[in-house]
Amino acid sequence: MKKIIVRNTPSTDLASKLILFDDKHWNTKDEFISFYGLDKVLRDIFGEKDGFNILNKKYNECLKAGSNNDYFFYALLIDKEYGIMVSEKSHIYLLHLEPHININGSPILDWNYYNDKKYIGDAWWSNDEEIVDDISKLTMIEFFKKYKGF
């Protein structure tokens, strides 16, 4: 079970936004960032209002503390496209993750973005490993019944 850190505001169509933003071929991520600057990339592609320094500081706070903050939360990776997040109120959310935006295989940012989340149940009586295992093994109806998804 892999934990990932996800930005707490949704962002959509990142790959398309990158193509519309820039149609050049870059050899390295550093070349791309040095040409545009991270603040412009964050604003124009990711839709961020805060600059890189603030977001990176909050990301590192989340990473070091091992807990959510007002900018980022932890999620459990199901596969490259989906993750789950258990809220402080023990609600389980299925996240549809945005693909990492990368230049020649190097991600531009360390954190993940999601484009949508759906409530799928409550986790009062289960731990993270059991929830991840159940998402993979149970049918949708069985999962909803077990986790009171309705």
Side-chain angles (χ1 to χ4, degrees):
M1 170 178 62
K2 181 179 177 186
K3 286 189 174 187
I4 58 172
I5 297 177
V6 181
R7 182 71 171 96
N8 70 358
T9 56
S11 190
T12 60
D13 302 320
L14 296 179
S16 298
K17 288 177 184 174
L18 177 63
I19 292 167
L20 294 172
F21 177 77
D22 177 79
D23 62 356
K24 298 174 188 65
H25 176 76
W26 298 95
N27 292 320
T28 67
K29 168 180 89 169
D30 294 336
E31 194 178 85
F32 174 80
I33 290 169
S34 126
F35 184 81
Y36 287 111
L38 274 172
D39 287 340
K40 180 172 178 51
V41 169
L42 282 165
R43 183 180 60 249
D44 294 354
I45 297 175
F46 296 91
E48 292 287 2
K49 293 181 177 115
D50 293 310
F52 177 74
N53 288 340
I54 292 170
L55 292 172
N56 196 49
K57 178 182 177 200
K58 292 294 189 175
Y59 168 80
N60 282 310
E61 286 173 5
C62 182
L63 185 63
K64 287 177 184 160
S67 60
N68 302 344
N69 62 30
D70 51 341
Y71 281 73
F72 295 94
F73 62 83
Y74 275 90
L76 305 166
L77 192 63
I78 302 299
D79 62 25
K80 68 179 186 172
E81 196 175 350
Y82 290 95
I84 60 166
M85 183 264 288
V86 179
S87 73
E88 291 176 7
K89 295 180 180 180
S90 293
H91 297 313
I92 305 167
Y93 291 93
L94 180 66
L95 305 170
H96 186 248
L97 301 170
E98 280 289 319
H100 261 296
I101 299 301
N102 64 69
I103 305 296
N104 276 346
S106 295
I108 294 174
L109 301 167
D110 292 330
W111 55 85
N112 295 270
Y113 283 86
Y114 74 98
N115 61 41
D116 202 2
K117 71 179 181 180
K118 301 284 183 223
Y119 168 81
I120 58 172
D122 289 321
W124 294 106
W125 46 89
S126 301
N127 62 39
D128 292 348
E129 288 179 28
E130 184 179 2
I131 295 167
V132 170
D133 191 49
D134 285 345
I135 281 201
S136 301
K137 291 182 178 174
L138 298 177
T139 67
M140 183 175 65
I141 299 300
E142 290 169 334
F143 186 91
F144 285 155
K145 284 180 179 179
K146 179 173 182 176
Y147 291 97
K148 312 299 184 222
F150 285 96

